[in-house]
Amino acid sequence: VQDVKVIGNLHFIAFADGVHWYRPETGSAVKILPVQDVSDLAYDPVSELLFVSFLNKLDVYTMPSAQLVETYTFTDDLTDIHLHYNK
């Protein structure tokens, strides 16, 4: 396991083969993204966006469809994702 994020009843787990969505109510884990080498995950429950960082890239996916909506590339590798909200 590379990373785990739990928000309410949403569990996102990064394994070596990709990101899985674990649903405790059904006891199932479904691979939703084939992204490897994940360094961090963050989920925004307000906009239902999943942020996935790997190497020097940050991908943003809409949930629950897991559709890629944006990719950002940086000069250095990413290690953490912190979401901040404005009022």
Side-chain angles (χ1 to χ4, degrees):
V1 175
Q2 294 174 312
D3 196 12
V4 176
K5 292 295 179 219
V6 178
I7 298 92
N9 66 342
L10 301 174
H11 298 67
F12 297 103
I13 306 169
F15 289 103
D17 69 335
V19 177
H20 296 248
W21 185 357
Y22 173 69
R23 298 174 189 174
E25 65 275 3
T26 61
S28 66
V30 178
K31 183 171 152 183
I32 56 171
L33 303 170
V35 179
Q36 298 178 349
D37 298 322
V38 172
S39 57
D40 200 15
L41 299 168
Y43 180 70
D44 176 4
V46 175
S47 59
E48 296 184 318
L49 295 174
L50 179 64
F51 298 82
V52 180
S53 67
F54 57 100
L55 303 175
N56 67 331
K57 295 187 184 220
L58 176 69
D59 285 349
V60 182
Y61 298 88
T62 59
M63 295 306 293
S65 64
Q67 296 295 311
L68 180 65
V69 293
E70 193 75 52
T71 297
Y72 300 94
T73 303
F74 300 90
T75 55
D76 296 320
D77 288 354
L78 300 171
T79 57
D80 293 313
I81 301 171
H82 298 277
L83 301 178
H84 296 271
Y85 297 92
N86 292 326
K87 286 186 174 184

